[in-house]
Amino acid sequence: MYRYKRVFLIVMDSLGIGAMPDSDKFGDFGVDTLGHIAEKMDSFTIPNLRRLGMANLKAMDKVDPVESPLAYYAPLREKSNGKDTMTGHWEMMGIETTKPFITFTEHGFPPELIKELEERTGRHIIGNKAASGTEILDELGEEEIEKGHLIVYTSADSVLQICGNEETMGLENLYHYCEIARELTMKDEWRVGRVIARPYVGKKKGQFVRTSNRHDYALEPTGKTVLNSLKDAGFDVISVGKINDIFVGQGITESNRSKSSVHGMEQTIEIAKRDFCGLCFVNLVDFDALWGHRRNPIGYGQEIERFDVKLGQLLPVLREDDLLIITADHGNDPTYTGTDHTREKVPFLAYSKKHKGSGPLPEEDTFAVIGATIADNFSLAMPEHTIGHSILDSLR
């Protein structure tokens, strides 16, 4: 019934590999997340990605291609209108997003939304601007704790973020306020892709630390995805990281929350030691959240190196009938202006111990080849109104 009993799909969040043909329409010129990171690194040690074929797919400084890569590889273009987390992940599983999510980067959220949120939460809102999460805590954390206010802010993404001190506000209260915000931002004029709870600890400026109890309240996918097809057919759909949040639990049979990208890989390795049949879908967010948005190419490069170490531990655990796919959901060039995601192609690396071949595949015009290939592997039809075509027959 299937060629691969288990598929491991790992998303290196924001690891773009160069500008899309339409990147300029999104204000992105000459962007290249992986290429520019490699240029900035004094050395770049990624032996496992290299032997899979990453340097064959994407030319980069300090990392030479290999003569016989282990994986099949191709660049993927995004068909959807956007460059954000949800758009990229949804497209992987078959949904084309034609209307981009609203952002409030320039002026913050409208007074009408803030007023209603204040009335519903019973707290005065401070912030209401685009900011770095660490910077806004240093600026307003003490005020929030002392006066019982509520820090609300956004970013270059379509998000409404709410900070809450775990010790003085409490996690449950923070989550409740985010649920209220999610309800309010379902209106078309306020419709953001995600409301994010940003808990932290500490009492004074310079001591605030965000915790791993972040929780995303995303919009539900606009239709059925490949995940729904897998679950409905009785296959396992195991999520690691924020995958469960991105799909609002739809099509997920088991959810694992990660404390970091390294932890996410450790969870994936442990899952690979178990027996299951279906998909393990992994998002590793630190590349994007800690380094891309903060425009830190060295930190980003070092995070890739840490991932590569864990990849070297995962590969021997994979079984003969496993398929490993490594990809990304958008770009976030840490050398570019601003703090926004960048519209880029993403890598597609596909490896299995049973493959007799490897090497380049044609560039594809949608991320949805990933979901379509997984559905084809398990002999499932793509859900109605989804996009994508299978390249399963190319993986031999």
Side-chain angles (χ1 to χ4, degrees), residues 267-302:
Q267 291 171 302
T268 304
I269 292 166
E270 290 306 309
I271 291 167
K273 296 175 183 177
R274 294 161 35 187
D275 191 36
F276 70 91
C277 185
L279 172 66
C280 177
F281 196 174
V282 182
N283 175 276
L284 305 175
V285 73
D286 287 353
F287 305 106
D288 184 57
L290 296 186
W291 314 115
H293 285 302
R294 298 182 189 178
R295 295 303 188 244
N296 186 336
I298 303 302
Y300 201 137
Q302 291 170 342

Side-chain angles (χ1 to χ4, degrees), residues 235-291:
F235 293 103
D236 297 302
V237 183
I238 303 170
S239 74
V240 176
K242 64 179 184 178
I243 295 296
N244 189 66
D245 291 338
I246 293 167
F247 290 90
V248 199
Q250 294 195 16
I252 306 294
T253 62
E254 175 188 326
S255 175
N256 299 273
R257 192 172 295 279
S258 304
K259 298 176 182 177
S260 67
S261 289
V262 167
H263 181 226
M265 282 299 291
E266 291 170 348
Q267 291 171 302
T268 304
I269 292 166
E270 290 306 309
I271 291 167
K273 296 175 183 177
R274 294 161 35 187
D275 191 36
F276 70 91
C277 185
L279 172 66
C280 177
F281 196 174
V282 182
N283 175 276
L284 305 175
V285 73
D286 287 353
F287 305 106
D288 184 57
L290 296 186
W291 314 115

Side-chain angles (χ1 to χ4, degrees), residues 26 98 229:
F26 290 78
T98 56
S229 298

Side-chain angles (χ1 to χ4, degrees), residues 81-266:
N81 184 9
K83 53 177 180 177
D84 59 82
T85 297
M86 288 169 56
T87 301
H89 283 79
W90 287 4
E91 182 168 320
M92 287 179 210
M93 293 299 116
I95 292 179
E96 179 183 3
T97 301
T98 56
K99 183 180 179 182
F101 297 114
I102 300 173
T103 59
F104 295 91
T105 308
E106 292 186 14
H107 306 292
F109 300 103
E112 298 82 4
L113 171 57
I114 295 299
K115 182 174 182 292
E116 196 161 345
L117 189 55
E118 286 181 331
E119 290 175 353
R120 292 282 301 275
T121 61
R123 290 180 181 256
H124 176 65
I125 288 174
I126 55 178
N128 190 26
K129 61 183 179 180
S132 155
T134 53
E135 290 174 356
I136 205 160
L137 282 181
D138 277 343
E139 178 188 348
L140 299 173
E142 290 180 359
E143 180 180 347
E144 178 176 84
I145 293 169
E146 180 184 347
K147 298 182 179 180
H149 292 166
L150 196 63
I151 300 172
V152 172
Y153 69 107
T154 188
S155 69
D157 298 337
S158 178
V159 295
L160 184 153
Q161 304 185 80
I162 302 180
C163 297
N165 189 288
E166 291 193 6
E167 298 160 313
T168 58
M169 181 182 295
L171 269 178
E172 293 309 314
N173 283 330
L174 174 61
Y175 291 162
H176 177 60
Y177 300 150
C178 288
E179 289 166 3
I180 293 171
R182 178 70 280 176
E183 178 187 338
L184 294 177
T185 54
M186 293 304 292
K187 293 183 179 180
D188 282 345
E189 63 268 30
W190 300 340
R191 199 164 180 256
V192 296
R194 286 175 293 158
V195 172
I196 305 177
R198 290 288 196 175
Y200 66 97
V201 293
K203 296 291 173 57
K204 295 182 179 180
K205 178 180 178 179
Q207 298 177 358
F208 296 125
V209 178
R210 295 198 294 189
T211 74
S212 61
N213 292 317
R214 162 182 168 159
H215 186 63
D216 292 35
Y217 299 80
L219 290 174
E220 292 186 359
T222 54
K224 297 291 186 182
T225 73
V226 172
L227 303 184
N228 297 105
S229 298
L230 287 164
K231 182 179 179 180
D232 292 347
F235 293 103
D236 297 302
V237 183
I238 303 170
S239 74
V240 176
K242 64 179 184 178
I243 295 296
N244 189 66
D245 291 338
I246 293 167
F247 290 90
V248 199
Q250 294 195 16
I252 306 294
T253 62
E254 175 188 326
S255 175
N256 299 273
R257 192 172 295 279
S258 304
K259 298 176 182 177
S260 67
S261 289
V262 167
H263 181 226
M265 282 299 291
E266 291 170 348

